[in-house]
Amino acid sequence: MKIYPVILSGGSGTRLWPLSRAVLPKQLLPLVTDKTMLQETALRVHSLPNRRAGDSGLAALEVMPPLVVCGNDHRFMVAEQLREIGLAPLGILLEPVGRNTAPAVAVAAHYLLAIDPQALMLVLPADHVISDVAAFHQAIAEAALLAEDGALATFGIVPTAPETGYGYIRSGAPVAAGAPGCKVERFVEKPDLATAQSFLASGNYFWNSGMFMFRAGRYLSELAAFQPAMLAACEAAVRDGYRDLDFCRLEEKAFAASPSDSIDYAVMEHTAHAVVLPAAIGWSDVGSWAALWEVQPGDASGNVVRGDVYLDGVSNCLVRAESRIVAVLGVQDLVVVETNDAVLVAHKDQVQRVKQVVDHLKQAGRSEHVQHRKVYRPWGAYEGIDVGERFQVKRITVNPGGKLSLQMHHHRAEHWVVVSGTAQVTCGDKVTLLTENESTYIPIGMTHRLENPGKLPLHLIEVQSGSYLGEDDIVRLEDVYRRV
């Protein structure tokens, strides 16, 4: 059986602000290990043994390259992060707008059916933690057998505590005598504490993981029964989509016309073919800073620390420093997260209120919820260093072979100083090579381009001066990455 992992990499991750932001959400961040959550998700399924031998009674499995569904703004980071771990994706589908998980899975199913009419889809959110990978692989193999027989299988996490932050699944009768998996009796919204305690005591309830396995054709046939408008919109979005470099762009108007809904509401709560497979795999959706503290090993005092941190008399805290030393003294049960433009301090039982901070930033017209000072681009990155009246200073990194667009500005001039590496600078009709400690000047209105022809990263300092310094004062005349 060929298994096609479908990794859903949408969402803005507001619950882990200030680290997670709209332009760089949690699935693209290294939160638990030195790899990002997207990378961990892809590697976790890539390491699934292609054949199950011995007396397990499970069928031979072949894991195909992942198919990723993500937003347009994240496309280059997704592609680069997969390249960093040596995985070439089957495809990267770009959602022009967010429409929740049911349409995202539908476009993936249409895409896969054109490749393999018998495709088995393994649907995985990109931002979950799974600590018991061997048990996860076993669960995938068992779910594949259920899906092969026409079931829409979901992985029900065996609960370890009366969690009120998760949805639940109530299991019914076994699918077959001696076989793993039970029919889904019903889905349950996030309960209060007393209800969650009763769920845990009953043994018939599982956490809803948001992970699924089914045949692409089966999912679409169920979608046709319960959400025909969604099915038609997603089918048109794939049919009328087009290739853009290494990406598949869904047709914007068709996809935007799709109703927005989750898989649970659109299909799983209505189908007669829903099956839940109990899975004790060390799972967490890392839905808050407190959850991130729980899934990581702490020191002798229960502290989880990352970065340049000094602690004295501190217990059961999560402290993360991104850009400078953070000293914490004589406290307990706190979350302290520092970035170069924001600091969060919260009691662990209050971290869900982070969303209120993000809402405040939106209403105030600020940018700290959108992006960090360091902004990633397909050619490299830039980072704001200083800003004042009529000037701005940035640190720019251009990857080997990277090339900025041929562009001009109406309101600003730029001074570039090379710190290390080699810069090829186009300024009007003149092309110049600059090396360490050399500089150049780009006047207002002058057509220009910066590129790195070398084999090492190019680092330079850019000083902008003028009456307006916004990023929207860029007129792109030519761009190898096809940005507008």
Side-chain angles (χ1 to χ4, degrees):
M1 291 185 285
K2 290 183 178 180
I3 294 178
Y4 293 83
V6 175
I7 300 177
L8 305 181
S9 186
S12 57
T14 57
R15 291 179 293 179
L16 292 182
W17 184 88
L19 203 58
S20 176
R21 306 190 185 187
V23 174
L24 192 63
K26 73 172 184 175
Q27 65 267 24
L28 302 179
L29 293 169
L31 292 179
V32 179
T33 70
D34 60 349
K35 293 183 175 61
T36 69
M37 301 193 79
L38 169 66
Q39 290 173 326
E40 290 286 5
T41 300
L43 289 172
R44 194 158 49 235
V45 69
H46 180 70
S47 64
L48 176 70
N50 276 351
R51 291 188 178 276
R52 312 290 299 198
D55 59 358
S56 64
L58 299 176
L61 303 177
E62 181 180 2
V63 179
M64 308 306 291
L67 176 63
V68 182
V69 185
C70 69
N72 181 66
D73 291 343
H74 302 149
R75 66 193 187 280
F76 291 113
M77 285 180 284
V78 167
E80 175 61 17
Q81 289 190 6
L82 294 176
R83 186 200 64 78
E84 287 176 353
I85 58 175
L87 286 183
L90 184 68
I92 300 177
L93 304 182
L94 303 182
E95 295 178 296
V97 292
R99 283 295 178 265
N100 215 319
T101 55
V105 175
V107 294
H110 280 295
Y111 187 90
L112 291 176
L113 281 181
I115 299 171
D116 180 356
Q118 300 300 316
L120 275 177
M121 301 175 63
L122 173 61
V123 178
L124 303 170
D127 56 358
H128 290 182
V129 167
I130 294 174
S131 60
D132 192 339
V133 176
F136 177 57
H137 289 169
Q138 179 73 12
I140 291 174
E142 293 172 350
L145 293 178
L146 296 170
E148 181 82 352
D149 287 339
L152 280 72
T154 183
F155 297 81
I157 305 304
V158 177
T160 56
E163 276 286 346
T164 58
Y166 295 147
Y168 284 72
I169 301 170
R170 179 176 171 84
S171 63
V175 173
C182 297
K183 294 180 180 180
V184 172
E185 189 166 297
R186 65 188 177 104
F187 287 80
V188 184
E189 293 294 330
K190 298 175 182 178
D192 58 27
L193 181 59
T195 304
Q197 289 171 335
S198 69
F199 287 172
L200 187 66
S202 76
N204 295 325
Y205 288 83
F206 302 93
W207 292 337
N208 187 354
S209 70
M211 302 187 297
F212 305 89
M213 182 175 283
F214 35 65
R215 285 203 179 279
R218 167 66 84 178
Y219 176 74
L220 294 178
S221 67
E222 296 300 284
L223 200 64
F226 306 117
Q227 288 281 350
M230 183 183 295
L231 176 71
C234 293
E235 182 178 14
V238 175
R239 183 189 64 235
D240 299 334
Y242 61 94
R243 298 293 301 181
D244 179 4
L245 299 176
D246 295 328
F247 310 104
C248 177
R249 288 189 176 275
L250 301 171
E251 204 285 318
E252 184 171 353
K253 290 184 179 179
F255 191 72
S258 171
S260 177
D261 215 343
S262 69
I263 299 179
D264 292 344
Y265 287 140
V267 174
M268 297 299 290
E269 291 189 0
H270 308 289
T271 180
H273 304 285
V275 171
V276 59
L277 183 74
I281 56 178
W283 171 91
S284 171
D285 71 347
V286 196
S288 68
W289 285 113
L292 185 61
W293 172 80
E294 290 175 353
V295 300
Q296 297 183 87
D299 62 17
S301 298
N303 298 306
V304 173
V305 172
R306 187 155 179 166
D308 191 3
V309 173
Y310 173 81
L311 303 180
D312 185 0
V314 175
S315 62
N316 298 321
C317 289
L318 183 149
V319 184
R320 185 162 181 141
E322 295 294 313
S323 66
R324 72 203 79 185
I325 185 170
V326 172
V328 183
L329 310 175
V331 298
Q332 61 185 11
D333 297 321
L334 291 186
V335 168
V336 181
V337 182
E338 175 273 337
T339 68
N340 59 11
D341 63 347
V343 177
L344 170 70
V345 180
H347 196 279
K348 279 193 305 189
D349 64 9
Q350 298 295 314
V351 291
Q352 296 292 349
R353 295 168 63 184
V354 167
K355 287 185 176 182
Q356 298 175 22
V357 180
V358 175
D359 289 342
H360 164 75
L361 295 173
K362 291 178 181 178
Q363 293 167 8
R366 301 182 59 140
S367 63
E368 289 93 339
H369 65 292
V370 178
Q371 62 187 29
H372 294 270
R373 284 186 181 173
K374 186 171 185 178
V375 179
Y376 291 90
R377 290 290 185 257
W379 44 261
Y382 68 84
E383 182 177 1
I385 299 174
D386 196 9
V387 62
E389 186 69 28
R390 295 182 61 86
F391 83 92
Q392 184 169 228
V393 184
K394 293 182 178 180
R395 179 186 294 114
I396 295 178
T397 301
V398 184
N399 298 328
K403 180 185 295 188
L404 280 68
S405 59
L406 184 67
Q407 60 186 256
M408 57 86 67
H409 310 293
H410 290 296
H411 304 288
R412 73 175 185 247
E414 296 175 341
H415 301 256
W416 294 342
V417 181
V418 176
V419 176
S420 64
T422 301
Q424 180 173 307
V425 178
T426 299
C427 186
D429 297 329
K430 185 179 179 181
V431 179
T432 307
L433 285 178
L434 302 178
T435 57
E436 186 173 331
N437 290 324
E438 295 183 323
S439 62
T440 192
Y441 169 65
I442 310 295
I444 293 176
M446 180 65 71
T447 300
H448 61 281
R449 166 177 271 161
L450 173 65
E451 49 193 300
N452 179 1
K455 296 182 178 180
L456 298 174
L458 164 64
H459 299 278
L460 58 84
I461 299 297
E462 176 183 84
V463 180
Q464 302 174 358
S465 60
S467 60
Y468 179 71
L469 306 174
E471 282 298 303
D472 54 353
D473 183 26
I474 298 177
V475 179
R476 289 193 176 99
L477 306 174
E478 178 185 307
D479 185 55
V480 297
Y481 308 107
R482 301 182 184 175
R483 297 167 297 167
V484 295

